[in-house]
Amino acid sequence: MTDSADAADSADGRGEVTSRRRGRPPRTESADTRDRILDAAREEFSERGYEKTSVRGIAKAAGVDSALVHHYFGTKEQVFEAAVEVALVPALKVRDAVLEAPLDDVGERLTRFLFGLWENPVTRKPLLAIVRSAVNNEAAATVFRRLVSAQLLRRIAGEIDAPDAELRAELAASQLVGVAMMRYVIKIEPIASADPEQIIARVAPVVQGHLTGR
């Protein structure tokens, strides 16, 4: 299903959206519906990627009308952003988890923290949705850059005392995303089946070098 089909969904469902606004469900029911839509969206985006996911497909998976998806979130891009932002909440707290100690071993702490997210089945699926979608679609990539650059990389860069701090943070992130792509998305051996501790031991010094190396 394409974005044009989603636009048709939106146009066809305007009357239903209006009627729902006149008689909105109770707040608890609204929260449950929103959560169900977000869960379905993460599932669809992780399995199909951004291009092949449609608002209609998300609605079907959530057991609601597509007009209700538009009512709560708007366009497909806005659904995607809402879904991945929730998934990125642990990563957006990375500064507190990683930068509490001196920067001398920040590479190891950052690498261990992020690979911990990938190794956890609960957080792996939304991360897959983010990476797969961002690789294949510019709208999804824009959302990814906005969330990651503004809310994650700049936080880390702010702790680095160097004139090229933002470049250093982005290179470190690129290293981590690249290895994650090889291990969890493309699943190239032997990276895909290597022990996580072995991966961390190899990658962490490189990340450290990007962040604080000369």
Side-chain angles (χ1 to χ4, degrees):
M1 188 71 63
T2 63
D3 289 336
S4 60
D6 288 333
D9 285 345
S10 181
D12 293 343
R14 285 174 186 166
E16 293 183 47
V17 172
T18 302
S19 65
R20 290 180 191 278
R21 285 174 179 165
R22 288 176 185 153
R24 290 180 178 176
R27 182 171 298 178
T28 54
E29 182 181 335
S30 297
D32 290 342
T33 302
R34 286 175 59 90
D35 290 343
R36 195 161 72 249
I37 292 171
L38 288 177
D39 288 342
R42 281 190 290 271
E43 184 78 28
E44 291 289 301
F45 284 124
S46 66
E47 294 296 329
R48 303 173 184 275
Y50 187 91
E51 287 286 356
K52 295 182 179 179
T53 297
S54 67
V55 169
R56 188 173 295 174
I58 293 170
K60 182 178 180 181
V64 301
D65 189 272
S66 58
L68 200 57
V69 179
H70 290 296
H71 169 72
Y72 282 119
F73 298 103
T75 65
K76 184 172 79 169
E77 181 178 341
Q78 290 170 315
V79 179
F80 177 78
E81 183 165 6
V84 301
E85 189 167 18
V86 171
L88 279 174
V89 166
L92 296 178
K93 296 179 180 177
V94 69
R95 181 180 62 179
D96 298 331
V98 171
L99 297 176
E100 291 176 348
L103 290 177
D104 293 343
D105 63 346
V106 65
E108 196 274 340
R109 295 197 310 276
L110 178 59
T111 304
R112 183 172 298 281
F113 178 83
L114 292 180
F115 274 93
L117 294 178
W118 277 105
E119 288 295 317
N120 185 339
V122 175
T123 50
R124 184 186 303 163
K125 183 165 288 187
L127 286 171
L128 284 171
I130 296 166
V131 173
R132 283 175 177 161
S133 298
V135 166
N136 295 318
N137 182 270
E138 181 56 32
T142 299
V143 172
F144 179 70
R145 285 194 297 266
R146 183 164 61 245
L147 289 172
V148 173
S149 295
Q151 300 190 45
L152 178 58
L153 294 181
R154 288 178 188 171
R155 294 182 180 186
I156 297 173
E159 303 293 331
I160 302 172
D161 184 16
D164 58 348
E166 287 194 16
L167 175 61
R168 288 170 176 266
E170 289 177 1
L171 286 171
S174 298
Q175 184 76 40
L176 293 167
V177 171
V179 175
M181 281 282 294
M182 299 284 280
R183 178 175 173 84
Y184 301 103
V185 181
I186 305 175
K187 298 182 179 180
I188 291 181
E189 295 292 354
I191 295 177
S193 58
D195 185 280
E197 289 298 323
Q198 184 180 5
I199 299 292
I200 292 170
R202 293 284 187 181
V203 173
V206 181
V207 174
Q208 183 72 44
H210 284 314
L211 293 174
T212 63
R214 301 298 178 187

